[in-house]
Amino acid sequence: GSQQVLIHPSNSPSVGQPGELSLVTLLPALRRRLGFTSELHVVKGPARECSGLVLLSSCHRSSERLQQFFTDARQRGRYPVTYRAVTVGVPAEAEGEIRTGLRWQQHGDTTLVVPVPAPGHRSLARKEVKNTLTCYRVLGAAGGCALLQLQPRTAFPDQLPVHLTLLLCPALGDHKHASRVGKVLGVPFLLPPEAAPTCTQVLDAELVARLGLSPQQLRHLPLHLHLQQLVLP
């Protein structure tokens, strides 16, 4: 079997709803374009809202070995998956770890991923909450924004954007969680999810001017979280 790596644009899911354009619906055409005789399937890729690398394979045995490798690497404390993020705000520390429990929580008609700072043993045992960990490092900073390297040790939906809000530095283009970071006299602080409804990310006028975006374009600003590197055995 063979493997193929592609770049996945943001806001286009790897596996979509029926009738929705997604990478999976394009795989037959992609297989023909690349000249593969066997069907292609997704081994590893970024979350729905993120851009970045997608690893495809035409061999199920190879796919199983690779997926087991990613699982084993996380359990051994290795970081085979590396993301890059542009954040609104610069972390107080140049590098560190973000540890928290995460769980799903219903808010009106929507279900959100929310942090649980000190999860109880019972909630962890019942798998209502999962302990999560992301290592981060600041690669550069300018104009109140930063470029971060992110290496998740665990996998949970929305883990990276939620972890960035805990750093008080939400990802640029995060219209889902960034409202949890408020400001008083320019100093950021964390709001509880129930006090921060989902909305278009609010950016300083100076940053919007530097980006050259209109209010209409700002609503469509994609999440600046990119799966940048996959380490393979």
Side-chain angles (χ1 to χ4, degrees):
S2 300
Q3 284 78 48
Q4 185 77 21
V5 178
L6 303 174
I7 301 296
H8 182 269
S10 60
N11 290 322
S12 64
S14 295
V15 181
Q17 301 298 322
E20 182 182 29
L21 182 64
S22 66
L23 178 59
V24 168
T25 62
L26 297 174
L27 287 180
L30 187 60
R31 175 182 62 81
R32 292 191 295 270
R33 176 70 64 88
L34 295 173
F36 282 83
T37 54
S38 301
E39 289 186 1
L40 289 171
H41 51 270
V42 177
V43 179
K44 190 77 172 175
R48 177 191 176 98
E49 298 86 358
C50 301
S51 61
L53 299 174
V54 179
L55 179 63
L56 305 176
S57 177
S58 61
C59 173
H60 286 282
R61 182 174 296 178
S62 295
S63 299
E64 289 172 359
R65 285 198 310 109
L66 287 166
Q67 287 167 344
Q68 189 60 49
F69 163 76
F70 287 122
T71 300
D72 292 344
R74 283 202 306 268
Q75 292 173 347
R76 293 175 184 175
R78 298 175 184 172
Y79 300 92
V81 178
T82 301
Y83 280 79
R84 294 282 173 91
V86 177
T87 62
V88 181
V90 182
E93 302 291 335
E95 59 182 297
E97 295 181 345
I98 310 156
R99 294 177 180 268
T100 188
L102 291 179
R103 69 180 174 93
W104 291 100
Q105 182 171 300
Q106 191 73 29
H107 284 285
D109 297 333
T110 61
T111 306
L112 298 175
V113 175
V114 299
V116 182
H121 293 297
R122 288 185 179 180
S123 60
L124 291 170
R126 292 195 297 261
K127 297 185 178 180
E128 297 170 353
V129 180
K130 179 176 179 178
N131 277 324
T132 59
L133 167 64
T134 300
C135 288
Y136 76 90
R137 183 159 62 92
V138 178
L139 302 177
C145 294
L147 176 66
L148 266 60
Q149 173 182 286
L150 300 169
Q151 292 180 309
R153 170 83 176 272
T154 52
F156 196 89
D158 288 356
Q159 174 176 320
L160 294 180
V162 172
H163 279 191
L164 289 174
T165 65
L166 296 178
L167 279 182
L168 302 178
C169 299
L172 182 65
D174 184 354
H175 308 297
K176 191 174 181 181
H177 307 284
S179 57
R180 299 181 196 177
V181 179
K183 279 189 178 182
V184 172
L185 300 177
V187 179
F189 68 97
L190 196 64
L191 287 161
E194 57 271 17
T198 299
C199 63
T200 300
Q201 187 177 27
V202 177
L203 300 176
D204 292 340
E206 183 182 344
L207 177 55
V208 174
R210 286 206 310 273
L211 292 171
L213 297 175
S214 68
Q216 292 75 21
Q217 291 171 321
L218 191 58
R219 291 203 306 270
H220 302 290
L221 183 67
L223 182 67
H224 281 53
L225 265 172
H226 183 81
L227 177 52
Q228 183 251 342
Q229 178 177 283
L230 290 171
V231 176
L232 303 181

